[in-house]
Amino acid sequence: MGEKPVPLRDFLKNVEEAVNGRVATDADTLRLYSRDYWPLALLKEVRGEELPKPLAVAWPESVEEVIQLVKLCNEYKVPFAPYAGGSGVIGGTMCEGCLVIDVKRMNRVLHFSEEDALVVAESGVLLRKLEEFLNEKGFTLRHIPQSYPEAALGGLIATMSTGQFSTKYGGIEELLLDLEAVAPDGGLIPMRKNLVPRAATGPDLKRLLVGSEGQLGVITKAALKAFPLPSHSWNRAYAFPSFEAGLKAMREIMLAWATPAVARLYDKDDSAARFHDARDLLLLVVEESEEELLKAKVSVVERVVAKH
Ligand SMILES: Cc1cc2nc3c(=O)[nH]c(=O)nc-3n(C[C@H](O)[C@H](O)[C@H](O)COP(=O)(O)OP(=O)(O)OC[C@H]3O[C@@H](n4cnc5c(N)ncnc54)[C@H](O)[C@@H]3O)c2cc1C
């Protein structure tokens, strides 16, 4: 990389000071951060085409450091892109000449309450680490997107993530109780002190950050609902005479409030590819903590499926 103009050199010097030297501008790092899993970016990379390169990557360790970075970006008119696990699929972290603010070092679990069934963590915590932490306490988020090994909390919120078990437990937006973020001008958007499940205190503007893809600030901390690990589980797969019949059965199960934890309908092609069974398949996992509830749900599911 050639010599940088003086204001950018000043900018980088200030960034370096703000994060205690945790900043990189070398070609290998910039290449690594020049794409996520956006298929078009992957294709361009394979074709050897040029991808937009950031100016630098910084790894803050606290909300105060994030504030400093964002303020510097404003002062020097350098765009910034928040970055968590890097498994996004729409190129949200890609930007030419920007500062990538990678929150991965902000990865502490800050608070867990068994009584309130909630957990508060920094936005760089990997989903699988957070889940492991909760499992040790007998709890779970039951948030299992296919990017489970790589995704981190901030990215999950900023992409409005959904997972295998979201049919019952809800997408990330339903797990989210509150968050802390740094606004695009460097102002702090604090988390509520009292983490009650909901608070009707005016428009919930923080929800704008859900699905914001890094455009509305840097999420630094979030509080999420947690659930006790289920004690009973029941799994089935059903074949249907047609995809439409499977869809009807699924609809009836949901409308009867027998909501399974997982309900996935695969058409013939998908079933053949995944299960070596070329039929329209409905895969269900019904699991609940209480055996009585589980039995009741199973009987509704079996009755509806038999009809179709
Ligand atoms: C193999 C694979 C499977 C996937 N499966 C699913 C799936 O089942 N369900 C699903 O919903 N999605 C899925 N995705 C896509 C999804 O976008 C990501 O998996 C995940 O939610 C992004 O998390 P991340 O930490 O990797 O975010 P990143 O890739 O780091 O960032 C994603 C976006 O969020 C922004 N962002 C990151 N951190 C912050 C922050 N702290 N504050 C503000 N903005 C931030 C970024 O700027 C970017 O726009 C999958 C992706 C892959 C590659």
Side-chain angles (χ1 to χ4, degrees), residues 37 82 84-89 92-93 145-147 152 154-155 158-159 161-162 213-214 217-219:
Y37 283 84
S87 71
V89 286
T93 55
Q146 281 171 15
S147 52
T159 59
S161 166
T162 186
E213 289 280 349
V218 186
I219 299 159

Side-chain angles (χ1 to χ4, degrees), residues 36-37 81-93 101 103 123-124 143-148 150-164 209 212-215 217-220:
D36 55 11
Y37 283 84
Y83 189 104
S87 71
V89 286
I90 65 161
T93 55
I101 301 179
V103 295
S123 60
H143 192 71
I144 323 278
Q146 281 171 15
S147 52
Y148 179 78
E150 288 170 79
L153 184 52
L156 294 165
I157 297 168
T159 59
M160 200 166 166
S161 166
T162 186
Q164 314 283 350
L209 281 133
S212 61
E213 289 280 349
Q215 300 295 300
V218 186
I219 299 159
T220 45

Side-chain angles (χ1 to χ4, degrees), residues 120-274:
V120 181
E122 290 181 317
S123 60
V125 68
L126 287 173
L127 175 59
R128 65 184 159 85
K129 292 281 177 195
L130 187 55
E131 181 65 16
E132 277 166 27
F133 168 88
L134 287 168
N135 290 171
E136 277 170 24
K137 311 266 179 210
F139 276 72
T140 174
L141 286 179
R142 270 295 187 269
H143 192 71
I144 323 278
Q146 281 171 15
S147 52
Y148 179 78
E150 288 170 79
L153 184 52
L156 294 165
I157 297 168
T159 59
M160 200 166 166
S161 166
T162 186
Q164 314 283 350
F165 287 76
S166 298
T167 308
K168 176 180 160 194
Y169 296 90
I172 199 79
E173 71 280 10
E174 282 151 297
L175 302 185
L176 184 68
L177 293 170
D178 200 16
L179 57 78
E180 175 193 85
V182 175
D185 66 354
L188 178 70
I189 304 172
M191 184 180 272
R192 286 198 308 268
K193 289 210 166 57
N194 188 2
L195 285 171
V196 287
R198 69 194 292 277
T201 51
D204 192 356
L205 296 177
K206 283 188 216 171
R207 292 269 154 189
L208 288 174
L209 281 133
V210 177
S212 61
E213 289 280 349
Q215 300 295 300
L216 297 176
V218 186
I219 299 159
T220 45
K221 190 163 99 177
L224 301 173
K225 291 178 198 167
F227 308 94
L229 279 167
S231 56
H232 293 88
S233 166
W234 177 88
N235 314 320
R236 284 290 183 284
Y238 298 98
F240 289 88
S242 67
F243 188 77
E244 288 68 26
L247 207 54
K248 275 189 184 157
M250 229 170 142
R251 180 178 169 278
E252 277 180 41
I253 290 166
M254 298 302 289
L255 289 177
W257 286 107
T259 317
V262 177
R264 296 176 76 90
L265 183 60
Y266 297 86
D267 66 13
K268 291 187 176 73
D269 292 342
D270 220 3
S271 296
R274 287 165 191 266

Side-chain angles (χ1 to χ4, degrees), residues 36-45 88-91:
D36 55 11
Y37 283 84
W38 184 30
L40 193 57
L42 296 177
L43 187 66
K44 282 188 175 177
E45 191 178 53
V89 286
I90 65 161

